[in-house]
Amino acid sequence: MLPVTESPAPFRWGILGVARINRALVGPLASNGHQLLAIASRSVERARTYAETQGIARAYGSYEALLGDPDIDAVYIPLPHSMHVEWAVKAAEARKHVLVEKPISLDGAGVRVLMSAARTHDVVITEAFMYRHHALVARARELAHDGTIGRLQGVRGTFSFVLDRAFDTRLVPEFGGGSLWDVGCYPVSFARTIVGHRPLSVQAVANWGAGEIDLSFFGQLQFPGGVVAQVHSSFESPFKTEVEIIGSEGRLLVRHPFKPEPTETIEVMKANEAYTVTVDGPLLYQGEVDDVRDAARAGRAPLVTLEDSLDNVDTLTALLQAARSGNTVALDA
Ligand SMILES: NC(=O)C1=CN([C@@H]2O[C@H](COP(=O)(O)OP(=O)(O)OC[C@H]3O[C@@H](n4cnc5c(N)ncnc54)[C@H](OP(=O)(O)O)[C@@H]3O)[C@@H](O)[C@H]2O)C=CC1
Ligand SMILES: O=C1CO[C@H](CO)[C@@H](O)[C@@H]1O
């Protein structure tokens, strides 16, 4: 007789909100052993229409109703930035694992609340930094430290695009708007990951446009050992993502650091030598979805831990404080 191999039950997801980013997640949330079981919206009609077009079995007219569904294992939260902590806590209280969009919180206190909720309710809560799940990042970090480019001196990263919609919550201060929160969080996260440390202090300059949110942001981070990172984010210059890692004997160029394709490259440039390192990874967004399930089932920490998110959020709030005050801002150790 052939051995019977039982495949595990699908890991069942719900989404809170009919957000634009859902386009990118509905595939990963419904494949590779996952099932996208439910969608919730503030409008039941919107939820029903979305469920019908995407083949989602259950539609709810409130986020609370979805969280009350006992068949759901985990939720994906793509709400406006200022709503992330509140709904991640409610999801944890309902004993759902949580994948919450970046930035996970607009201050360090919010991340600490999430740490406590994850512990109390024994669930995984992780920030949806999809790029972190590609092997590109780990490989770039190895090359930055293994002598390939000599002694690591600095990291430069940029994420810009033109945000020209008439209304977008990312342009509204009360929702946690601003280019640093929306896209500057990526080069800050990448630089911290490469250096492997929390910055000691930061300086910054921003273009505040006509309002209270930054339309463009230029920040500088000082790390132990004299390593420096420079980050740029913008809502007012054409789409560009890039990271350069600078060493005493050469540099690494990562052309698609934040939205990597399954096969990516790192360009190594030295005085008398240049070559390309090829790195394979999962489809963008599949890695973060798989990691929530695998961490939940194994009882292990997710790849992007809340401690890591705390360092990122603390760095972002320090950068904003530095840009507003014009002073160097030191981070607590
Ligand atoms: N990882 C990535 O590649 C990307 C990540 N993001 C992140 O995803 C999140 C969502 O971004 P995006 O898709 O642009 O957001 P959208 O504005 O398209 O969607 C947010 C949804 O939140 C719900 N919502 C609840 N309360 C409010 C409110 N008061 N005002 C407005 N919307 C509300 C709405 O859903 P409903 O009405 O159905 O309840 C709305 O559609 C952000 O954290 C963003 O940073 C965004 C783009 C790419
Ligand atoms: O996280 C994100 C990734 O890319 C988008 C732009 O291309 C951003 O707007 C978004 O919030």
Side-chain angles (χ1 to χ4, degrees):
M1 224 166 58
L2 287 171
V4 180
T5 49
E6 250 180 66
S7 50
F11 193 70
R12 291 163 301 185
W13 287 88
I15 303 180
L16 305 187
V18 179
R20 281 161 297 167
I21 179 63
N22 293 358
R23 273 194 306 268
L25 272 290
V26 287
L29 291 171
S31 55
N32 210 27
H34 302 274
Q35 183 186 1
L36 178 50
L37 185 61
I39 176 85
S41 170
R42 294 170 298 172
S43 145
V44 72
E45 288 77 29
R46 191 157 51 244
R48 284 197 187 121
T49 306
Y50 195 77
E52 274 164 29
T53 56
Q54 299 296 330
I56 302 170
R58 302 180 192 176
Y60 292 106
S62 75
Y63 307 150
E64 287 90 348
L66 186 149
L67 294 179
D69 183 335
D71 296 334
I72 289 176
D73 299 307
V75 292
Y76 168 59
I77 303 183
L79 297 172
H81 301 164
S82 57
M83 299 174 69
H84 290 172
V85 173
E86 175 192 352
W87 285 98
V89 168
K90 286 182 177 160
E93 286 168 352
R95 303 297 300 270
K96 312 298 184 200
H97 302 287
V98 184
L99 176 64
V100 57
E101 268 302 340
K102 33 58 60 179
I104 193 166
S105 169
L106 298 172
D107 56 32
V111 186
R112 289 197 171 84
V113 167
L114 295 176
M115 287 170 166
S116 162
R119 255 194 320 271
T120 305
H121 303 291
D122 195 22
V123 292
V124 171
I125 303 180
T126 184
E127 188 170 19
F129 270 124
M130 71 297 195
Y131 88 90
R132 285 284 308 276
H133 298 268
H134 196 292
L136 184 66
V137 190
R139 190 74 186 102
R141 186 175 170 175
E142 273 169 21
L143 292 168
H145 291 278
D146 69 3
T148 301
I149 55 167
R151 184 179 57 79
L152 176 63
Q153 295 178 333
V155 181
R156 290 199 304 123
T158 193
F159 195 151
S160 66
F161 72 105
V162 177
L163 179 51
D164 53 7
R165 302 171 77 224
F167 177 79
D168 193 300
T169 61
R170 289 171 294 180
L171 296 170
V172 181
E174 292 71 27
F175 283 115
S179 81
L180 183 69
W181 283 121
D182 186 46
V183 284
C185 61
Y186 287 94
V188 168
S189 163
F190 202 112
R192 288 182 33 260
T193 304
I194 293 299
V195 179
H197 211 282
R198 184 175 163 95
L200 300 171
S201 61
V202 301
Q203 291 125 10
V205 178
N207 170 21
W208 300 102
E212 294 166 49
I213 63 125
D214 66 281
L215 296 176
S216 288
F217 200 97
F218 297 85
Q220 181 157 287
L221 288 58
Q222 280 89 28
F223 292 93
V227 179
V228 174
Q230 291 179 331
V231 294
H232 167 242
S233 61
S234 184
F235 284 159
E236 53 184 357
S237 64
F239 182 86
K240 175 163 177 165
T241 64
E242 194 171 87
V243 167
E244 187 180 30
I245 301 168
I246 302 150
S248 54
E249 290 170 29
R251 57 187 64 215
L252 309 172
L253 184 63
V254 185
R255 290 190 192 272
H256 308 122
F258 311 127
K259 297 191 177 185
E261 297 292 334
T263 297
E264 277 296 346
T265 57
I266 301 170
E267 291 167 46
V268 182
M269 288 168 278
K270 299 164 79 160
N272 299 311
E273 193 185 8
Y275 57 91
T276 295
V277 175
T278 302
V279 194
D280 292 319
L283 268 178
L284 196 58
Y285 305 104
Q286 191 69 57
E288 62 181 11
V289 170
D290 289 354
D291 187 51
V292 173
R293 176 200 55 206
D294 297 347
R297 288 189 170 158
R300 65 156 170 82
L303 176 73
V304 181
T305 61
L306 289 171
E307 289 72 21
D308 189 330
S309 291
L310 179 61
D311 282 351
N312 218 55
V313 168
D314 279 349
T315 307
L316 293 166
T317 51
L319 281 165
L320 282 167
Q321 198 188 331
R324 287 202 181 99
S325 66
N327 297 326
T328 296
V329 173
L331 277 87
D332 300 334

